Structure formats: structure tokens, C-alpha cells
Amino acid sequence: MDRANHSVVSEFVFLGLSNSWEIQLVLFVFSSMFYVASMMGNSLIMLTVTLDPHLPFPMYFLLANLSFIDLGGSSIASPMMIYDIFRKRKVISFGGCISQIFFIHVIGGVEMVLLIAMAFDRYVAICKPLHYLTIMSPRTCIFFLVSAWMFGLIHSVIQLAFVVNLQFCGPNVLDSFYCDLPQLIKLACTDTYRLEFMVTANSGFISVGSFFILIISYIVIIVTVQKHSSAGLSKALSTLSAHITVVVLFFGPLIFSYTWPSSSTHLDKFLAIFDGVLTPFLNPVIYTFRNQEMKVAMWRVCRQLVRYMKIS
């Protein structure tokens, strides 16, 4: 049956973040600053990894792809949120809402696998340094990348399969600034308790499972290093600190949202802003702040670009 025959909802209305003009102004300024900064930071990482031949291939290849994912993740909902902040009527079409959900889950799935791949890369580099280039070959890196995109696409398609035949014939107001499945399902003209549980369980299980895989891998690295050399433990912790911080920032809001659903829409909105605006900004900062190799490479690339602009 054609969707138009059983669905009279053609658009959804967002309530947004706040009705206070002062809060809207603060949100607009900070959201715009963090969005532009995340775009510039992640673009610079991608450019540096692409142009600088001195950076080791496996680790920085994965980092560049993580930056690409962060670019996409921050661009799914943030531009529309910033544009809608001062608008009285904030709407999104039915197709636009479904597309937003699709890309949110694709990006989320890809990033989970990339973070696991980066943890494996650090495990090999720290625990099996003599075999690092053999194990983390270009073929292995491409395998991780293809697997990440396949996982993201499959996860997103499965999530959308839950709602593709739902009927939306009445309420169309979402107390949010973007579309996501839990809130969208509640607007359907049918009993959705079981469906809500399945969607939450699916995303929650994947998030918690991936998080525990990463935590276990970091514990294995630390224990292995400690057994061989207690002096090398501080170096390993220094190397892993950036990865662990990014993992906590990424999975924290996801796990909280899907495994501990809150009745507070204000908390949900804060977690959504944190995950969609702040995390893509913090990732390049975290990965470059204590990484002297990356900072030197960025400086080299910036000098090359300035020199090229002067010549042209």
C-alpha cells in the first residue's frame, strides 16, 4: 500500500530548544562557534593526513576517517538546529525526518566500528610492535573501513525497518530539534510499546556491547604492558588517554539515552547537543592536544598551504 494512503502527516514540527530569547541567543552563538570549529578542526586533520607523508599510515588513516565521520555527524542536525533557533515555526518534511534518522544511525554505526578498529590498532602497536606493519597492513585498514560502513548501513536499515510501515495520522509535534526513532515512534497511530522496546534494545545492546569491547581491549593493553615493563605503563596510559576520552564522550550520551530513558526532555536535548555539536568539536582537539607528531604535521601542512597561496 502506498504510504500516502495511510499517512496524513506530511511534516513534523519541532518545539526546539527554548522559547527564551536570551537562551536562544546563547545557544545560537555557542552552537555556531562549535560547529564551525569542528568543521575546521576535522577538515584540517583530514587534509594533514592526506598531504603529509611522514605520518604513519594505519593509525592516521583511521583517524582521518573518524574526522570524516565527525564532519558528517555534526552536519546532520546541527545546521538545521542553528537555522531554526530563532524561527517560530520549526518544521521538517516526512522524507527529511526519515533521512535524518537514516544518516544518524549510519554515522553512529560507522563510528562505533572505527573506534574499535582504532583500539585494535593501539593494541597491536603497544603489545606487538614488531608485527605492527604486518598486521595493520593497508588491506587490514581497508577491511576495517568497509566493515564499518557495512555495519552502519545494515544497522540503519534495520532501525528504519521498524517504522517504515507505521501510520502517522494525528500528532506531529516533536519536543526536540531533530528527528530520532524513539520520539518519532511515539507519534504513530498504534500501540508502539513493543516497537519502542525493540528499537531501544537494538541500539542499546549495540552501544553497550561496543563500549565493553573497547574497555576490555584497553584493560588487556594495560595489563600486558604492566607485565612486561612497569616503566612502559605510563607511556601506554598517555597514548591511550586520548582514545579512552573520545570513547567515553561518544558512548556516554548514547548509553544513557538508550539504556536509561529519561522522562526529562531537557536532559535529552542536552545529551543530543553534546553528542551532535560538542563531541565532533572535542575529538580533533583531544587527538591533537597531546599528540606532538600530529601538531608538527599540521604546522607543516599549514606552512605549505600559505606558501602555495603566496605563489598563486
Side-chain angles (χ1 to χ4, degrees), residues 204-224:
F205 176 77
I206 292 173
S207 300
V208 173
S210 301
F211 180 73
F212 274 110
I213 289 173
L214 287 163
I215 295 301
I216 290 170
S217 69
Y218 293 135
I219 292 173
V220 170
I221 293 173
I222 293 170
V223 170
T224 304

Side-chain angles (χ1 to χ4, degrees), residues 43-192:
S43 297
L44 182 57
I45 287 178
M46 292 171 57
L47 191 65
T48 301
V49 174
T50 303
L51 297 180
D52 196 306
H54 301 93
L55 293 174
F57 172 78
M59 174 184 173
Y60 290 101
F61 171 79
L62 295 172
L63 178 58
N65 279 278
L66 181 65
S67 292
F68 177 75
I69 290 300
D70 281 336
L71 280 175
S74 63
S75 299
I76 294 173
S78 297
M80 187 173 187
M81 177 197 74
I82 294 169
Y83 175 73
D84 281 343
I85 282 179
F86 295 114
R87 297 180 70 197
K88 290 186 177 181
R89 181 172 169 79
K90 308 168 178 62
V91 298
I92 186 172
S93 66
F94 187 95
C97 188
I98 297 298
S99 298
Q100 211 173 58
I101 291 171
F102 174 77
F103 286 112
I104 285 172
H105 287 275
V106 168
I107 293 297
V110 174
E111 186 155 354
M112 286 182 194
V113 178
L114 279 179
L115 289 173
I116 292 173
M118 293 175 76
F120 179 76
D121 172 79
R122 290 301 84 202
Y123 167 77
V124 176
I126 294 172
C127 300
K128 300 179 183 293
L130 297 179
H131 303 285
Y132 178 66
L133 292 178
T134 303
I135 297 174
M136 292 302 298
S137 63
R139 180 178 294 182
T140 304
C141 293
I142 296 299
F143 170 77
F144 275 129
L145 184 60
V146 172
S147 300
W149 281 100
M150 289 296 294
F151 177 81
L153 287 168
I154 292 171
H155 167 65
S156 187
V157 169
I158 291 174
Q159 291 291 82
L160 285 182
F162 288 131
V163 298
V164 69
N165 290 319
L166 285 179
Q167 299 181 20
F168 297 93
C169 53
N172 67 335
V173 178
L174 293 166
D175 191 5
S176 181
F177 60 91
Y178 76 108
C179 285
D180 200 8
L181 277 177
Q183 295 187 52
L184 182 67
I185 289 173
K186 291 177 182 177
L187 300 181
C189 302
T190 183
D191 182 15
T192 59

